[in-house]
mmCIF file of all heavy atoms in Angstrom:
data_model
loop_
_atom_site.group_PDB
_atom_site.id
_atom_site.type_symbol
_atom_site.label_atom_id
_atom_site.label_comp_id
_atom_site.label_asym_id
_atom_site.label_seq_id
_atom_site.Cartn_x
_atom_site.Cartn_y
_atom_site.Cartn_z
ATOM 1 N N GLY A 30 11.021 -4.250 -6.932
ATOM 2 C CA GLY A 30 10.864 -3.617 -8.245
ATOM 3 C C GLY A 30 11.036 -2.108 -8.178
ATOM 4 O O GLY A 30 10.471 -1.375 -8.986
ATOM 5 N N GLY A 31 11.799 -1.638 -7.188
ATOM 6 C CA GLY A 31 12.040 -0.218 -7.028
ATOM 7 C C GLY A 31 10.964 0.522 -6.259
ATOM 8 O O GLY A 31 11.100 1.714 -5.994
ATOM 9 N N SER A 32 9.894 -0.174 -5.858
ATOM 10 C CA SER A 32 8.792 0.503 -5.162
ATOM 11 C C SER A 32 9.134 0.843 -3.716
ATOM 12 O O SER A 32 8.520 1.725 -3.126
ATOM 13 C CB SER A 32 7.541 -0.366 -5.185
ATOM 14 O OG SER A 32 7.686 -1.471 -4.307
ATOM 15 N N ARG A 33 10.091 0.097 -3.147
ATOM 16 C CA ARG A 33 10.448 0.257 -1.740
ATOM 17 C C ARG A 33 9.228 0.084 -0.830
ATOM 18 O O ARG A 33 9.074 0.761 0.165
ATOM 19 C CB ARG A 33 11.119 1.602 -1.487
ATOM 20 C CG ARG A 33 12.423 1.740 -2.196
ATOM 21 C CD ARG A 33 13.092 3.046 -1.920
ATOM 22 N NE ARG A 33 14.364 3.069 -2.613
ATOM 23 C CZ ARG A 33 15.419 3.726 -2.182
ATOM 24 N NH1 ARG A 33 15.359 4.408 -1.072
ATOM 25 N NH2 ARG A 33 16.518 3.693 -2.865
ATOM 26 N N ARG A 34 8.361 -0.848 -1.199
ATOM 27 C CA ARG A 34 7.139 -1.123 -0.432
ATOM 28 C C ARG A 34 6.981 -2.632 -0.278
ATOM 29 O O ARG A 34 7.437 -3.403 -1.095
ATOM 30 C CB ARG A 34 5.921 -0.547 -1.150
ATOM 31 C CG ARG A 34 6.000 0.968 -1.325
ATOM 32 C CD ARG A 34 4.715 1.573 -1.832
ATOM 33 N NE ARG A 34 3.557 1.252 -1.010
ATOM 34 C CZ ARG A 34 3.298 1.779 0.190
ATOM 35 N NH1 ARG A 34 4.105 2.656 0.713
ATOM 36 N NH2 ARG A 34 2.211 1.435 0.858
ATOM 37 N N GLY A 35 6.266 -3.004 0.786
ATOM 38 C CA GLY A 35 5.887 -4.398 0.966
ATOM 39 C C GLY A 35 7.010 -5.305 1.417
ATOM 40 O O GLY A 35 7.094 -6.447 0.965
ATOM 41 N N ILE A 36 7.866 -4.827 2.322
ATOM 42 C CA ILE A 36 8.929 -5.693 2.822
ATOM 43 C C ILE A 36 8.582 -6.187 4.223
ATOM 44 O O ILE A 36 7.764 -5.597 4.921
ATOM 45 C CB ILE A 36 10.309 -5.002 2.809
ATOM 46 C CG1 ILE A 36 10.348 -3.805 3.757
ATOM 47 C CG2 ILE A 36 10.701 -4.604 1.387
ATOM 48 C CD1 ILE A 36 11.753 -3.254 3.982
ATOM 49 N N VAL A 37 9.240 -7.270 4.607
ATOM 50 C CA VAL A 37 9.044 -7.887 5.914
ATOM 51 C C VAL A 37 10.395 -7.913 6.617
ATOM 52 O O VAL A 37 11.397 -8.311 6.014
ATOM 53 C CB VAL A 37 8.485 -9.321 5.774
ATOM 54 C CG1 VAL A 37 8.337 -9.983 7.127
ATOM 55 C CG2 VAL A 37 7.169 -9.310 5.020
ATOM 56 N N VAL A 38 10.399 -7.484 7.885
ATOM 57 C CA VAL A 38 11.629 -7.510 8.680
ATOM 58 C C VAL A 38 11.370 -8.278 9.971
ATOM 59 O O VAL A 38 10.232 -8.414 10.401
ATOM 60 C CB VAL A 38 12.130 -6.079 8.998
ATOM 61 C CG1 VAL A 38 12.463 -5.318 7.715
ATOM 62 C CG2 VAL A 38 11.124 -5.309 9.835
ATOM 63 N N SER A 39 12.445 -8.752 10.581
ATOM 64 C CA SER A 39 12.276 -9.503 11.824
ATOM 65 C C SER A 39 12.781 -8.753 13.050
ATOM 66 O O SER A 39 12.612 -9.233 14.166
ATOM 67 C CB SER A 39 12.974 -10.862 11.723
ATOM 68 O OG SER A 39 14.353 -10.693 11.463
ATOM 69 N N THR A 40 13.393 -7.583 12.849
ATOM 70 C CA THR A 40 13.843 -6.786 13.987
ATOM 71 C C THR A 40 13.487 -5.318 13.752
ATOM 72 O O THR A 40 13.342 -4.871 12.607
ATOM 73 C CB THR A 40 15.370 -6.879 14.208
ATOM 74 O OG1 THR A 40 16.042 -6.221 13.129
ATOM 75 C CG2 THR A 40 15.838 -8.327 14.319
ATOM 76 N N LEU A 41 13.393 -4.582 14.854
ATOM 77 C CA LEU A 41 13.138 -3.146 14.718
ATOM 78 C C LEU A 41 14.351 -2.420 14.159
ATOM 79 O O LEU A 41 14.205 -1.405 13.479
ATOM 80 C CB LEU A 41 12.713 -2.557 16.068
ATOM 81 C CG LEU A 41 11.314 -2.976 16.504
ATOM 82 C CD1 LEU A 41 11.032 -2.517 17.926
ATOM 83 C CD2 LEU A 41 10.259 -2.449 15.550
ATOM 84 N N ALA A 42 15.544 -2.939 14.397
ATOM 85 C CA ALA A 42 16.745 -2.345 13.807
ATOM 86 C C ALA A 42 16.665 -2.417 12.281
ATOM 87 O O ALA A 42 17.000 -1.449 11.587
ATOM 88 C CB ALA A 42 18.000 -3.043 14.321
ATOM 89 N N GLU A 43 16.208 -3.550 11.759
ATOM 90 C CA GLU A 43 16.029 -3.671 10.309
ATOM 91 C C GLU A 43 14.968 -2.689 9.815
ATOM 92 O O GLU A 43 15.138 -2.048 8.778
ATOM 93 C CB GLU A 43 15.598 -5.092 9.934
ATOM 94 C CG GLU A 43 16.659 -6.135 10.120
ATOM 95 C CD GLU A 43 16.108 -7.537 9.931
ATOM 96 O OE1 GLU A 43 15.013 -7.855 10.455
ATOM 97 O OE2 GLU A 43 16.783 -8.324 9.240
ATOM 98 N N ALA A 44 13.876 -2.564 10.557
ATOM 99 C CA ALA A 44 12.812 -1.638 10.169
ATOM 100 C C ALA A 44 13.346 -0.212 10.092
ATOM 101 O O ALA A 44 13.077 0.515 9.120
ATOM 102 C CB ALA A 44 11.642 -1.724 11.146
ATOM 103 N N ARG A 45 14.100 0.202 11.099
ATOM 104 C CA ARG A 45 14.668 1.552 11.092
ATOM 105 C C ARG A 45 15.650 1.735 9.945
ATOM 106 O O ARG A 45 15.683 2.781 9.294
ATOM 107 C CB ARG A 45 15.332 1.853 12.434
ATOM 108 C CG ARG A 45 14.332 2.118 13.551
ATOM 109 C CD ARG A 45 15.017 2.614 14.822
ATOM 110 N NE ARG A 45 15.861 1.593 15.430
ATOM 111 C CZ ARG A 45 15.443 0.707 16.326
ATOM 112 N NH1 ARG A 45 14.189 0.707 16.741
ATOM 113 N NH2 ARG A 45 16.273 -0.182 16.829
ATOM 114 N N PHE A 46 16.458 0.712 9.667
ATOM 115 C CA PHE A 46 17.418 0.769 8.561
ATOM 116 C C PHE A 46 16.702 0.989 7.236
ATOM 117 O O PHE A 46 17.061 1.880 6.463
ATOM 118 C CB PHE A 46 18.240 -0.531 8.519
ATOM 119 C CG PHE A 46 19.131 -0.646 7.317
ATOM 120 C CD1 PHE A 46 20.377 -0.031 7.313
ATOM 121 C CD2 PHE A 46 18.729 -1.359 6.195
ATOM 122 C CE1 PHE A 46 21.203 -0.130 6.195
ATOM 123 C CE2 PHE A 46 19.550 -1.466 5.080
ATOM 124 C CZ PHE A 46 20.802 -0.846 5.076
ATOM 125 N N PHE A 47 15.675 0.188 6.979
ATOM 126 C CA PHE A 47 14.958 0.321 5.709
ATOM 127 C C PHE A 47 14.151 1.622 5.645
ATOM 128 O O PHE A 47 14.056 2.251 4.594
ATOM 129 C CB PHE A 47 14.067 -0.893 5.453
ATOM 130 C CG PHE A 47 14.861 -2.093 4.999
ATOM 131 C CD1 PHE A 47 15.018 -3.191 5.829
ATOM 132 C CD2 PHE A 47 15.444 -2.128 3.746
ATOM 133 C CE1 PHE A 47 15.749 -4.295 5.422
ATOM 134 C CE2 PHE A 47 16.183 -3.227 3.323
ATOM 135 C CZ PHE A 47 16.341 -4.313 4.166
ATOM 136 N N ALA A 48 13.583 2.033 6.770
ATOM 137 C CA ALA A 48 12.853 3.307 6.795
ATOM 138 C C ALA A 48 13.792 4.460 6.456
ATOM 139 O O ALA A 48 13.432 5.352 5.682
ATOM 140 C CB ALA A 48 12.200 3.522 8.158
ATOM 141 N N ALA A 49 14.997 4.431 7.002
ATOM 142 C CA ALA A 49 15.981 5.476 6.698
ATOM 143 C C ALA A 49 16.393 5.453 5.233
ATOM 144 O O ALA A 49 16.787 6.481 4.677
ATOM 145 C CB ALA A 49 17.210 5.321 7.601
ATOM 146 N N GLY A 50 16.240 4.288 4.600
ATOM 147 C CA GLY A 50 16.584 4.143 3.186
ATOM 148 C C GLY A 50 15.418 4.417 2.252
ATOM 149 O O GLY A 50 15.502 4.145 1.055
ATOM 150 N N GLY A 51 14.321 4.939 2.791
ATOM 151 C CA GLY A 51 13.201 5.331 1.946
ATOM 152 C C GLY A 51 12.102 4.286 1.790
ATOM 153 O O GLY A 51 11.153 4.505 1.044
ATOM 154 N N PHE A 52 12.188 3.165 2.497
ATOM 155 C CA PHE A 52 11.120 2.169 2.439
ATOM 156 C C PHE A 52 9.969 2.657 3.316
ATOM 157 O O PHE A 52 10.182 3.144 4.417
ATOM 158 C CB PHE A 52 11.621 0.802 2.889
ATOM 159 C CG PHE A 52 12.504 0.143 1.862
ATOM 160 C CD1 PHE A 52 13.815 0.543 1.703
ATOM 161 C CD2 PHE A 52 12.005 -0.850 1.034
ATOM 162 C CE1 PHE A 52 14.629 -0.042 0.743
ATOM 163 C CE2 PHE A 52 12.813 -1.437 0.069
ATOM 164 C CZ PHE A 52 14.131 -1.027 -0.078
ATOM 165 N N ASP A 53 8.740 2.546 2.787
ATOM 166 C CA ASP A 53 7.603 3.188 3.441
ATOM 167 C C ASP A 53 6.456 2.240 3.763
ATOM 168 O O ASP A 53 5.388 2.674 4.167
ATOM 169 C CB ASP A 53 7.101 4.318 2.534
ATOM 170 C CG ASP A 53 6.352 5.389 3.296
ATOM 171 O OD1 ASP A 53 6.643 5.575 4.493
ATOM 172 O OD2 ASP A 53 5.469 6.016 2.709
ATOM 173 N N ASP A 54 6.655 0.940 3.569
ATOM 174 C CA ASP A 54 5.628 -0.065 3.830
ATOM 175 C C ASP A 54 6.339 -1.299 4.371
ATOM 176 O O ASP A 54 6.879 -2.097 3.607
ATOM 177 C CB ASP A 54 4.882 -0.381 2.530
ATOM 178 C CG ASP A 54 3.818 -1.455 2.690
ATOM 179 O OD1 ASP A 54 3.627 -1.973 3.802
ATOM 180 O OD2 ASP A 54 3.179 -1.784 1.681
ATOM 181 N N ILE A 55 6.367 -1.422 5.702
ATOM 182 C CA ILE A 55 7.177 -2.440 6.360
ATOM 183 C C ILE A 55 6.318 -3.220 7.349
ATOM 184 O O ILE A 55 5.620 -2.634 8.168
ATOM 185 C CB ILE A 55 8.359 -1.785 7.110
ATOM 186 C CG1 ILE A 55 9.255 -1.017 6.134
ATOM 187 C CG2 ILE A 55 9.158 -2.832 7.883
ATOM 188 C CD1 ILE A 55 10.327 -0.164 6.814
ATOM 189 N N LEU A 56 6.405 -4.545 7.261
ATOM 190 C CA LEU A 56 5.773 -5.420 8.246
ATOM 191 C C LEU A 56 6.847 -5.919 9.197
ATOM 192 O O LEU A 56 7.830 -6.535 8.773
ATOM 193 C CB LEU A 56 5.087 -6.611 7.570
ATOM 194 C CG LEU A 56 4.627 -7.749 8.488
ATOM 195 C CD1 LEU A 56 3.624 -7.272 9.531
ATOM 196 C CD2 LEU A 56 4.054 -8.899 7.672
ATOM 197 N N TYR A 57 6.641 -5.642 10.481
ATOM 198 C CA TYR A 57 7.523 -6.152 11.528
ATOM 199 C C TYR A 57 6.977 -7.520 11.926
ATOM 200 O O TYR A 57 5.992 -7.620 12.650
ATOM 201 C CB TYR A 57 7.536 -5.173 12.700
ATOM 202 C CG TYR A 57 8.339 -5.603 13.903
ATOM 203 C CD1 TYR A 57 9.547 -6.278 13.776
ATOM 204 C CD2 TYR A 57 7.887 -5.311 15.180
ATOM 205 C CE1 TYR A 57 10.276 -6.653 14.885
ATOM 206 C CE2 TYR A 57 8.614 -5.680 16.304
ATOM 207 C CZ TYR A 57 9.810 -6.350 16.145
ATOM 208 O OH TYR A 57 10.527 -6.728 17.249
ATOM 209 N N ALA A 58 7.604 -8.566 11.419
ATOM 210 C CA ALA A 58 7.079 -9.922 11.536
ATOM 211 C C ALA A 58 7.550 -10.629 12.801
ATOM 212 O O ALA A 58 8.178 -11.682 12.775
ATOM 213 C CB ALA A 58 7.455 -10.736 10.306
ATOM 214 N N TYR A 59 7.205 -10.002 13.905
ATOM 215 C CA TYR A 59 7.464 -10.582 15.216
ATOM 216 C C TYR A 59 6.310 -10.141 16.107
ATOM 217 O O TYR A 59 5.945 -8.956 16.079
ATOM 218 C CB TYR A 59 8.803 -10.078 15.773
ATOM 219 C CG TYR A 59 9.214 -10.754 17.046
ATOM 220 C CD1 TYR A 59 9.872 -11.976 17.011
ATOM 221 C CD2 TYR A 59 8.926 -10.187 18.280
ATOM 222 C CE1 TYR A 59 10.242 -12.616 18.189
ATOM 223 C CE2 TYR A 59 9.293 -10.821 19.455
ATOM 224 C CZ TYR A 59 9.948 -12.035 19.400
ATOM 225 O OH TYR A 59 10.299 -12.669 20.560
ATOM 226 N N PRO A 60 5.711 -11.054 16.875
ATOM 227 C CA PRO A 60 4.570 -10.634 17.698
ATOM 228 C C PRO A 60 4.894 -9.403 18.542
ATOM 229 O O PRO A 60 5.986 -9.301 19.108
ATOM 230 C CB PRO A 60 4.287 -11.861 18.562
ATOM 231 C CG PRO A 60 4.754 -13.006 17.712
ATOM 232 C CD PRO A 60 5.983 -12.484 17.001
ATOM 233 N N LEU A 61 3.961 -8.486 18.575
ATOM 234 C CA LEU A 61 4.151 -7.186 19.201
ATOM 235 C C LEU A 61 4.838 -7.289 20.557
ATOM 236 O O LEU A 61 4.294 -7.875 21.489
ATOM 237 C CB LEU A 61 2.811 -6.474 19.375
ATOM 238 C CG LEU A 61 2.895 -5.079 19.956
ATOM 239 C CD1 LEU A 61 3.522 -4.117 18.966
ATOM 240 C CD2 LEU A 61 1.526 -4.588 20.360
ATOM 241 N N PRO A 62 6.029 -6.704 20.673
ATOM 242 C CA PRO A 62 6.708 -6.696 21.968
ATOM 243 C C PRO A 62 6.298 -5.446 22.750
ATOM 244 O O PRO A 62 6.606 -4.329 22.353
ATOM 245 C CB PRO A 62 8.187 -6.648 21.579
ATOM 246 C CG PRO A 62 8.204 -5.905 20.275
ATOM 247 C CD PRO A 62 6.880 -6.209 19.602
ATOM 248 N N GLY A 63 5.591 -5.633 23.839
ATOM 249 C CA GLY A 63 5.117 -4.507 24.630
ATOM 250 C C GLY A 63 6.222 -3.563 25.063
ATOM 251 O O GLY A 63 6.036 -2.349 25.104
ATOM 252 N N ALA A 64 7.399 -4.112 25.349
ATOM 253 C CA ALA A 64 8.506 -3.280 25.805
ATOM 254 C C ALA A 64 9.029 -2.366 24.698
ATOM 255 O O ALA A 64 9.722 -1.397 24.978
ATOM 256 C CB ALA A 64 9.635 -4.165 26.328
ATOM 257 N N ARG A 65 8.707 -2.673 23.460
ATOM 258 C CA ARG A 65 9.197 -1.880 22.324
ATOM 259 C C ARG A 65 8.072 -1.102 21.650
ATOM 260 O O ARG A 65 8.198 -0.667 20.516
ATOM 261 C CB ARG A 65 9.868 -2.792 21.306
ATOM 262 C CG ARG A 65 11.001 -3.663 21.849
ATOM 263 C CD ARG A 65 12.192 -2.888 22.403
ATOM 264 N NE ARG A 65 12.817 -2.001 21.491
ATOM 265 C CZ ARG A 65 13.794 -2.304 20.640
ATOM 266 N NH1 ARG A 65 14.257 -3.529 20.606
ATOM 267 N NH2 ARG A 65 14.323 -1.406 19.858
ATOM 268 N N LEU A 66 6.970 -0.917 22.361
ATOM 269 C CA LEU A 66 5.806 -0.245 21.779
ATOM 270 C C LEU A 66 6.135 1.163 21.295
ATOM 271 O O LEU A 66 5.688 1.576 20.234
ATOM 272 C CB LEU A 66 4.645 -0.216 22.767
ATOM 273 C CG LEU A 66 3.347 0.354 22.214
ATOM 274 C CD1 LEU A 66 2.836 -0.504 21.076
ATOM 275 C CD2 LEU A 66 2.308 0.478 23.298
ATOM 276 N N GLU A 67 6.917 1.913 22.059
ATOM 277 C CA GLU A 67 7.257 3.280 21.660
ATOM 278 C C GLU A 67 8.047 3.292 20.352
ATOM 279 O O GLU A 67 7.839 4.167 19.501
ATOM 280 C CB GLU A 67 8.016 4.005 22.776
ATOM 281 C CG GLU A 67 7.158 4.248 24.003
ATOM 282 C CD GLU A 67 5.859 4.986 23.708
ATOM 283 O OE1 GLU A 67 5.859 5.943 22.909
ATOM 284 O OE2 GLU A 67 4.819 4.581 24.264
ATOM 285 N N ASP A 68 8.950 2.320 20.173
ATOM 286 C CA ASP A 68 9.693 2.220 18.913
ATOM 287 C C ASP A 68 8.747 1.919 17.749
ATOM 288 O O ASP A 68 8.873 2.492 16.668
ATOM 289 C CB ASP A 68 10.759 1.124 19.001
ATOM 290 C CG ASP A 68 11.865 1.445 19.988
ATOM 291 O OD1 ASP A 68 12.201 2.636 20.146
ATOM 292 O OD2 ASP A 68 12.387 0.502 20.597
ATOM 293 N N CYS A 69 7.809 1.014 17.993
ATOM 294 C CA CYS A 69 6.817 0.679 16.958
ATOM 295 C C CYS A 69 5.957 1.898 16.631
ATOM 296 O O CYS A 69 5.672 2.167 15.458
ATOM 297 C CB CYS A 69 5.948 -0.487 17.408
ATOM 298 S SG CYS A 69 6.824 -2.067 17.519
ATOM 299 N N ALA A 70 5.542 2.644 17.652
ATOM 300 C CA ALA A 70 4.710 3.828 17.436
ATOM 301 C C ALA A 70 5.461 4.878 16.625
ATOM 302 O O ALA A 70 4.883 5.515 15.734
ATOM 303 C CB ALA A 70 4.249 4.403 18.770
#
């Protein structure tokens, strides 16, 4: 609805894509990958 909030992604690449597009509330719907912790942080 134009809010750019409350989306769910399955990859960090998708999260970065939407973040770059102004989305500010993103759930990364994959169990926390320890190897990608810095990207998540």
Side-chain angles (χ1 to χ4, degrees):
S32 72
R33 296 181 178 210
R34 299 189 55 74
I36 64 169
V37 178
V38 298
S39 59
T40 69
L41 289 172
E43 291 171 315
R45 286 188 293 271
F46 173 83
F47 284 110
F52 286 77
D53 204 28
D54 178 0
I55 300 171
L56 168 60
Y57 176 38
Y59 187 84
L61 183 70
R65 305 298 302 272
L66 185 63
E67 293 305 319
D68 293 327
C69 292

